[in-house]
Amino acid sequence: MTVETPLIGHSAAEVVDEHLSGVRVGVVTFPGTLDDRDALRAVRIAGGTGVPLWHGDHDLKEVDAVIIPGGFSYGDYLRAGAISRFAPLMEQITAAASGGSLPVLGICNGFQVLTEAHLLPGSMIKNNHLHFLCKDQRLTVENTMTAWTSSYEQGTEIVVPLKNQDGQFVADERTLDELEGEGRVVFRYAGGNPNGSRRDIAGITNEHGNVVGLMPHPEHAVEAGFGPDSSAFGEVEVRGGVDGLGIFTSVLQKLVNK
Amino acid sequence: MPRIVVDVMPKPEILDPQGKAIAGALPRLGFTGFAEVRQGKRFELTVEGDVTEEVLEHARSAAATLLSNPVIEDVTRVEVIEDAQ
Amino acid sequence: MTTETTSKKFNIDTVEHAEQTPEQQLPWAELGLKENEYQRVVEILGRRPTAAELAMYSVMWSEHCSYKSSKVHLRQFGDKVTDAMKEHLLVGIGENAGVVDIGDGWAVTFKVESHNHPSFVEPYQGAATGVGGIVRDIISMGARPVAVMDPLRFGAIDHPDTARLVHGIVAGIGGYGNSLGLPNIGGEVVFDSVYQGNPLVNALAVGVLRHEDIRLANASGVGNRVVLFGARTGGDGIGGASVLASESFDDAKPSKRPAVQVGDPFAEKVLIECCLELFKNGIVEGIQDLGAAGISCATSELASNGEGGMHVELTDVLLRDPSLTPGEILMSESQERMMAVVTPENAGAFEAIMDKWSVEYSWLGEVTDTGRLIIEWDGEKIVDVDPRTVAHDGPVYERPYSRPEWLDGVQADSFAGDRPSGGEQLKSAVLELMSSPNMCSKDWITNQYDRFVQGNTALAMPDDAGVVRVDEETGLGIALSTDANGRYSYLNPYDGARLALAEAYRNVATTGAQPMAVTDCLNFGSPEDPEVMWQFAESVRGLADACQDLGVPVTGGNVSLYNQTGGVAIHPTPVVGVLGVFDDVARRTPSGWREDGQAIYLLGTTRNELDGSEWANLRGHLGGQPPVLDLQAEKTLAAILVNSSRDGMIDAAHDLSEGGLAAALSEAALRFGVGARIGIDELCERDGIDPFTALFSESQGRAVVAVPRSEEVRFNDMCTARNFPRLRIGVVDAENQALDVQGHFTLPLAELKEAHEATLPKHFA
């Protein structure tokens, strides 16, 4: 195939920066977490150092940022994220994140944990079509001021996989207006709302911009050959989409330049 | 309008993974003294008009056929509740 | 960690009691034993069995566990294996799953199993626990599970009960597999009214491990300790044997036993991680998952594969339902449990890992050198058997079989129905085919499965095979495909099984992987019907012969019999899974066209073969003989596809099977929404066929490939060198969004896509 894999935004060229490898990004594993190894791989591909964290520990291992990855922690049996948010490590994360210093990214189940922990507003309910849905999803990046989105251009579209059963973002009207008014909607579904999320919201941030949660999975769009079949940046090889890499390079860049 | 409440519980002999996970979490948060948790479902059927015995029978029948899966669940309650005015 | 024991005492039927009461009648018939089988148990023991022993023998000697009807035939899979075929086989048939060497110190274990009947009774839980069971087989080999696939067969798409089954089964597979973090990379979905009362829910799992990590189910090392861990034991799976609830033979009423097992994917996910941590730290000597026949199977298998002795205290089993009797505990099929053998020195480390993952466990006993499996209940001996007699010396039947008399008539009834001609008719026929239940897009189903998790999926549905990377450094990886065609097998069970293998083999090679090993799930009707037994015998003979011809060994699998309602059996459905290997998954070949101007070649020869085809099926016809199979040609085709992938000569490849060329071209175009200009007239002339046959025949040994212009000479030279027929039939056309079969019809891709994708949502959404 002669189609070249396009490299997204500013992120790709900087992957080789050796300063980045000094940045330590923790990835939390709860019982039932599934995408922890994928998130660690994404950090590594972006050039950083991934640090596995265990939910039952009290030690953040001096990480510079934290990712709470996807999965079905505690089976999602009570409510998604409802049990995990009481994990010992979540106390440390909440304390460090709520002041605005520690960058925290919650992906899918991780986003649900962050809402249950009240680090982010709103909640996720069952998809409006009631099925688990796995697809390549187009998103608009609306806020590039957060710790996790600075390497994208505002308004850029990206394609990353979406895969969940409880992915419908809901919040009361006042909260939604507040999120919109303060520019805290970070990602919005483009090309159709896949699950009934209010105002097409796919991801949001807190008031400081250090905590971001989103339902789609950027860590599954970081490596050519194993990502989605398409990219918003042009034609790519089969499963060649790497539009999600910018999320991980954003936080590494931010921490290096701090 | 009057409502009929239907409670559906997993059969006692059937494994209830949801209840098991919650039972595991309770003591970690200091809620001790509970031997078991079982998680069920509650349905509220709002009735058009009065709740006659016929309507109630309809509700029982719906509970047994649609609202519950008799292979793994029991209907533990079908009851009328009046809205507080 | 709780290790409470139930202090409740039953009026227990001990070995001593059994010796003293030889006249005591036991409910062996209710437990499914035949009189001669029961007499054999008495003969083995030299006395009547205790109730607990009876429970063990009855479940272990059941068809499901002992393969008593199929064993005499299945031996061919071993007998017909050559030394060359064994070269890459690290563990063969007989263990929980076979293990194949894929190089660089890596090994792969894979297996397909059925969960048909439970899925009919309770579709969601039946399908879910099917996934759970096969995944535990993979873990117990010492492997990390890396993917699953699900070949499914339902009744007629418009039958009122089909929607219930489709919704429940698909949601169950997704609900369990997605929660385990296993990508679902392929499978099949077939609708046929023969499966109305007997849907087939087969589940395949594949795992990877390092050679040194292979674990076997044996209890070795006298003094080593036996531990049961995972979920608690409940009354699951013993509903039919509730007769045992009164095994104390007093008048106590049988207590309530669940009719259905509920799966707990969260418990299984934790169990996977916990087992992998045990393996990594070298904590377990032997391990066995608990599936059918539960503790009966685990203890007797472990003991008989090791030094032959084990001593177990059954009151130490952690129970979910304290009313269970010893026999029931032995038979329980509660999910998400494992049994391991651990040295006393490692016991502390074992417990630490269990505690870390909050997994419950209980130490049940130890390995002995007595050659006996002794099980006690509160210190009283209730089982004293030679474990081999339970696990391996079950009855073996040479069931009578006979070729059905109706078969000659069926085979003589060749398809003589409607053969569309002319552009408009052919175009409508392609649309009809591609929107038909079996050929339509399965996205509505596969989009309910996670194909991304673990980050190693290089190809998944709807490509020809699922492809997963094993080694992130080198790109070493595997391809997997499962196939079966029940209609072909109905017409000719010997050829049907060979055709199933050929298709799976071809699919794997189409993606560029070298086929290496086989697993099978043989779904049939009742073995007590001589005609069904003949179909079974022929299928096994065909599959074993074809494996030998293609040089790929069967490494393990499963037999599912009694798939029939009343006197009506399903079509014989031998589902065959083939595993292939890539040195680097980066060179995998996708099924769809991408690049404008690339040449499209058809490999192989097309004959007038419509019998058993999808087209004949759409016209309600099933008769004649299935397509002719030439396994040497299949081997050559596979070599061409694998070499083309390795040398970068092709950018897309799609095999021809159900639906023939029409289906292959449509799917290759729809994969990425890129059309083509196709000419079939030269093909018709070369092979002496009409355009309808060219498009709809299901001749074997064929594939379409897209060749970059710069590679055409090399590609042609290679086909010439191998003397394999190929024909340039068109070019990829990225401009016009259409499949243009020149001189016949032009089918806009939008129209084709809409027809292809609307069918499942119309029936099920």
Side-chain angles (χ1 to χ4, degrees):
Chain A
M1 184 106 8
T2 54
V3 179
E4 289 197 11
T5 305
L7 303 167
I8 53 160
H10 343 141
S11 60
E14 287 138 354
V15 170
V16 288
D17 189 334
E18 59 190 39
H19 296 295
L20 299 184
S21 61
V23 179
R24 292 163 59 81
V25 180
V27 174
V28 187
T29 300
F30 297 94
T33 294
L34 305 178
D35 299 301
D36 42 354
R37 296 192 305 157
D38 310 66
L40 287 165
R41 183 194 290 120
V43 169
R44 196 184 68 231
I45 290 174
T49 299
V51 180
L53 299 175
W54 179 245
H55 76 110
D57 289 345
H58 294 269
D59 178 10
L60 278 175
K61 297 189 180 168
E62 298 179 338
V63 294
D64 305 302
V66 167
I67 297 173
I68 306 178
F72 290 82
S73 57
Y74 294 99
D76 275 6
Y77 288 149
L78 180 54
R79 292 181 309 281
I83 298 178
S84 301
R85 77 105 153 173
F86 291 107
L89 195 70
M90 281 307 295
E91 273 179 46
Q92 324 282 315
I93 293 172
T94 306
S98 50
S101 57
L102 181 74
V104 176
L105 175 70
I107 303 170
C108 195
N109 197 229
F111 185 14
Q112 293 157 339
V113 173
L114 294 177
T115 61
E116 286 282 342
H118 307 302
L119 282 168
L120 291 173
S123 186
M124 253 61 64
I125 63 172
K126 218 177 249 294
N127 293 337
N128 58 354
H129 46 78
L130 306 178
H131 293 294
F132 186 97
L133 177 65
C134 177
K135 67 178 288 236
D136 297 356
Q137 178 65 48
R138 198 168 267 266
L139 302 175
T140 308
V141 184
E142 296 202 349
N143 177 340
T144 56
M145 306 299 285
T146 80
W148 300 90
T149 49
S150 56
S151 61
Y152 294 104
E153 306 273 349
Q154 178 138 7
T156 292
E157 289 198 357
I158 59 174
V159 174
V160 297
L162 176 77
K163 43 168 205 155
N164 60 54
Q165 172 119 30
D166 295 329
Q168 181 178 179
F169 179 75
V170 293
D172 59 55
E173 285 300 313
R174 217 187 65 191
T175 306
L176 291 169
D177 289 341
E178 211 173 278
L179 285 170
E180 301 270 15
E182 294 171 10
R184 286 165 55 194
V185 174
V186 182
F187 301 100
R188 216 183 289 267
Y189 294 114
N193 186 328
N195 51 26
S197 288
R198 300 296 176 274
R199 304 191 191 181
D200 301 338
I201 291 172
I204 55 175
T205 185
N206 66 348
E207 55 183 348
H208 306 294
N210 65 316
V211 179
V212 170
L214 80 165
M215 285 314 290
H217 289 258
E219 82 282 20
H220 289 311
V222 296
E223 188 180 12
F226 305 94
D229 275 327
S230 57
S231 159
F233 295 87
E235 204 175 321
V236 291
E237 265 272 21
V238 180
R239 302 187 66 90
V242 293
D243 296 2
L245 193 58
I247 303 233
F248 305 94
T249 50
S250 291
V251 75
L252 297 181
Q253 284 296 338
K254 183 188 166 66
L255 290 164
V256 163
N257 298 333
K258 194 163 66 174
Chain B
M1 285 199 282
R3 282 172 297 161
I4 298 174
V5 171
V6 177
D7 287 347
V8 174
M9 292 298 292
K11 283 184 191 293
E13 68 271 21
I14 291 271
L15 173 69
D16 172 19
Q18 291 87 347
K20 200 175 99 185
I22 297 162
L26 286 174
R28 286 200 300 276
L29 302 181
F31 300 110
T32 53
F34 302 108
E36 201 189 352
V37 179
R38 293 186 78 76
Q39 181 183 323
K41 296 176 194 152
R42 171 181 163 127
F43 301 86
E44 296 186 357
L45 310 175
T46 305
V47 180
E48 290 175 341
D50 294 336
V51 182
T52 61
E53 185 49 39
E54 191 191 353
V55 170
L56 207 52
E57 193 46 46
H58 257 81
R60 286 193 198 100
S61 167
T65 52
L66 176 66
L67 303 183
S68 70
N69 176 353
V71 181
I72 54 175
E73 293 170 324
D74 288 329
V75 177
T76 56
R77 173 186 178 204
V78 180
E79 204 174 276
V80 188
I81 53 165
E82 295 294 337
D83 269 351
Q85 292 303 314
Chain C
M1 191 58 46
T2 46
T3 47
E4 66 196 57
T5 61
T6 163
S7 57
K8 176 179 53 69
K9 287 271 284 182
F10 298 92
N11 182 12
I12 295 302
D13 185 27
T14 61
V15 171
E16 193 182 1
H17 182 248
E19 280 162 348
Q20 289 161 356
T21 56
E23 73 293 344
Q24 177 79 61
Q25 291 302 307
L26 293 175
W28 48 265
E30 288 89 329
L31 289 172
L33 285 177
K34 301 278 190 265
E35 181 162 15
N36 61 317
E37 294 171 347
Y38 178 68
Q39 289 309 330
R40 175 84 187 113
V41 172
V42 174
E43 202 178 296
I44 287 170
L45 296 174
R47 57 172 164 81
R48 78 159 173 88
T50 64
E53 288 166 342
L54 180 69
M56 290 186 81
Y57 280 104
S58 68
V59 288
M60 289 301 289
W61 286 13
S62 68
E63 186 66 64
H64 185 66
C65 293
S66 74
Y67 294 86
K68 57 190 170 190
S69 300
S70 53
K71 222 175 200 170
V72 292
H73 301 285
L74 298 176
R75 282 181 187 138
Q76 293 172 74
F77 292 139
D79 296 345
K80 290 179 182 170
V81 169
T82 62
D83 286 343
M85 286 159 75
K86 279 188 202 154
E87 190 192 339
H88 299 288
L89 214 51
L90 298 173
V91 175
I93 299 179
E95 284 291 338
N96 288 304
V99 182
V100 180
D101 176 12
I102 61 164
D104 296 349
W106 287 102
V108 170
T109 178
F110 73 125
K111 189 180 176 186
V112 59
E113 226 174 46
S114 62
H115 225 223
N116 302 339
H117 185 64
S119 303
F120 179 68
V121 177
E122 213 307 297
Y124 184 97
Q125 296 298 345
T129 51
V131 175
I134 192 66
V135 167
R136 282 192 302 282
D137 271 337
I138 296 305
I139 308 171
S140 61
M141 297 309 296
R144 173 180 278 281
V146 295
V148 293
M149 297 176 96
D150 293 275
L152 306 176
R153 285 174 171 74
F154 299 103
I157 197 167
D158 51 1
H159 188 284
D161 196 40
T162 301
R164 170 187 78 99
L165 292 165
V166 168
H167 278 122
I169 287 166
V170 170
I173 290 168
Y176 205 100
N178 295 339
S179 304
L180 289 188
L182 296 177
N184 194 313
I185 57 170
E188 306 160 83
V189 180
V190 174
F191 295 94
D192 191 312
S193 57
V194 294
Y195 303 109
Q196 201 65 60
N198 297 277
L200 301 186
V201 178
N202 294 175
L204 179 147
V206 55
V208 303
L209 65 164
R210 302 291 300 169
H211 286 190
E212 61 271 22
D213 290 335
I214 295 175
R215 290 291 183 287
L216 299 177
N218 62 43
S220 55
V222 174
N224 284 343
R225 300 177 70 188
V226 177
V227 65
L228 182 65
F229 61 108
R232 289 187 168 221
T233 300
D236 308 280
I238 53 178
S242 57
V243 55
L244 274 179
S246 56
E247 70 184 65
S248 57
F249 311 122
D250 54 25
D251 289 324
K253 264 204 191 140
S255 44
K256 246 189 162 182
R257 298 296 175 241
V260 166
Q261 302 176 48
V262 172
D264 182 350
F266 168 61
E268 177 120 330
K269 168 63 181 170
V270 169
L271 203 56
I272 293 174
E273 297 303 330
C274 173
C275 285
L276 290 169
E277 198 162 331
L278 291 174
F279 299 150
K280 196 173 90 187
N281 293 290
I283 306 287
V284 296
E285 307 301 307
I287 188 160
Q288 168 84 45
D289 64 304
L290 274 76
I295 297 175
S296 294
C297 179
T299 52
S300 62
E301 291 271 356
L302 280 166
S304 57
N305 296 343
E307 267 127 54
M310 190 186 282
H311 184 280
V312 163
E313 172 53 58
L314 208 56
T315 46
D316 288 336
V317 173
L318 298 177
L319 299 179
R320 200 175 81 230
D321 174 355
S323 76
L324 294 181
T325 66
E328 289 180 312
I329 294 169
L330 287 169
M331 293 176 84
S332 164
E333 296 185 350
S334 289
Q335 302 287 304
E336 293 101 19
R337 297 180 299 163
M338 303 286 280
M339 184 174 279
V341 175
V342 180
T343 64
E345 299 75 51
N346 279 331
F350 178 90
E351 294 185 354
I353 291 173
M354 293 299 120
D355 291 345
K356 174 184 168 188
W357 289 98
S358 299
V359 172
E360 288 193 303
Y361 60 91
S362 60
W363 299 98
L364 296 188
E366 60 180 32
V367 178
T368 65
D369 58 2
T370 60
R372 306 294 290 178
L373 171 60
I374 310 279
I375 297 177
E376 293 186 344
W377 183 260
D378 228 359
E380 292 194 76
K381 205 192 293 181
I382 55 168
V383 172
D384 181 354
V385 297
D386 173 350
R388 286 200 57 84
T389 64
V390 179
H392 301 307
D393 299 341
V396 176
Y397 291 122
E398 301 251 7
R399 300 244 187 233
Y401 55 88
S402 61
R403 186 173 185 276
E405 284 180 17
W406 47 260
L407 195 57
D408 284 336
V410 167
Q411 289 180 344
D413 174 26
S414 197
F415 178 70
D418 167 35
R419 299 173 73 93
S421 63
E424 273 313 301
Q425 281 190 20
L426 286 171
K427 180 181 163 185
S428 313
V430 173
L431 281 171
E432 183 186 347
L433 178 80
M434 296 312 292
S435 61
S436 68
N438 291 339
M439 300 309 300
C440 70
S441 165
K442 301 304 185 306
D443 285 358
W444 183 83
I445 290 174
T446 56
N447 284 348
Q448 296 184 50
Y449 305 149
D450 184 349
R451 57 184 174 273
F452 287 100
V453 66
Q454 298 199 4
N456 288 316
T457 308
L459 287 181
M461 323 61 78
D463 288 308
D464 290 70
V467 174
V468 172
R469 175 175 60 181
V470 170
D471 187 327
E472 289 192 32
E473 298 294 316
T474 63
L476 178 75
I478 53 171
L480 270 165
S481 175
T482 69
D483 291 283
N485 186 318
R487 293 193 309 274
Y488 291 172
S489 283
Y490 171 80
L491 298 178
N492 185 328
Y494 178 81
D495 281 340
R498 295 166 70 236
L499 286 157
L501 173 66
E503 188 184 345
Y505 180 93
R506 193 164 60 236
N507 273 327
V508 162
T510 301
T511 64
Q514 180 61 46
M516 278 196 104
V518 175
T519 181
D520 58 10
C521 187
L522 307 172
N523 305 277
F524 289 79
S526 167
E528 293 164 43
D529 176 340
E531 294 183 352
V532 170
M533 204 56 217
W534 179 82
Q535 292 175 327
F536 180 79
E538 283 292 285
S539 298
V540 173
R541 188 171 69 87
L543 183 56
D545 284 351
C547 282
Q548 196 172 33
D549 290 342
L550 291 175
V552 285
V554 173
T555 61
N558 161 254
V559 176
S560 172
L561 301 175
Y562 297 99
N563 292 290
Q564 69 179 64
T565 306
V568 184
I570 59 165
H571 286 334
T573 311
V575 172
V576 179
V578 169
L579 172 83
V581 178
F582 282 100
D583 49 9
D584 185 354
V585 295
R587 64 173 179 77
R588 79 271 175 279
T589 312
S591 60
W593 304 317
R594 306 290 301 264
E595 188 128 341
D596 191 61
Q598 292 193 340
I600 297 172
Y601 281 79
L602 171 65
L603 294 162
T605 304
T606 308
R607 303 176 200 87
N608 180 17
E609 294 181 305
L610 272 304
D611 290 342
S613 67
E614 280 299 336
W615 180 259
N617 184 42
L618 286 175
R619 290 293 168 270
H621 182 267
L622 180 55
Q625 285 278 6
V628 168
L629 182 61
D630 175 352
L631 289 172
Q632 280 312 314
E634 296 287 352
K635 267 176 127 163
T636 307
L637 174 64
I640 288 172
L641 291 165
V642 172
N643 285 333
S644 300
S645 147
R646 191 170 287 142
D647 296 346
M649 282 188 266
I650 56 177
D651 274 359
H654 195 23
D655 98 306
L656 269 66
S657 52
E658 284 90 355
L661 183 63
L665 294 176
S666 300
E667 288 165 357
L670 291 177
R671 178 69 178 89
F672 299 114
V674 175
R677 296 187 302 277
I678 302 291
I680 55 172
D681 297 339
E682 197 182 338
L683 170 66
C684 290
E685 193 172 319
R686 186 195 71 179
D687 290 349
I689 51 176
D690 64 356
F692 167 73
T693 306
L695 289 169
F696 291 86
S697 163
E698 296 186 3
S699 292
Q700 300 293 296
R702 297 184 301 161
V704 282
V705 297
V707 183
R709 289 280 164 97
S710 58
E711 302 299 328
E712 277 196 79
V713 173
R714 228 164 37 118
F715 178 77
N716 273 301
D717 286 350
M718 181 180 59
C719 293
T720 305
R722 292 173 189 271
N723 199 21
F724 200 81
R726 84 287 182 186
L727 190 66
R728 195 180 201 273
I729 59 166
V731 285
V732 176
D733 181 352
E735 299 299 314
N736 298 311
Q737 287 277 303
L739 187 60
D740 180 8
V741 181
Q742 293 181 328
H744 298 279
F745 62 86
T746 300
L747 186 47
L749 292 189
E751 191 181 348
L752 182 59
K753 182 180 160 79
E754 196 192 332
H756 189 51
E757 292 180 354
T759 308
L760 291 190
K762 188 180 93 191
H763 284 92
F764 305 119

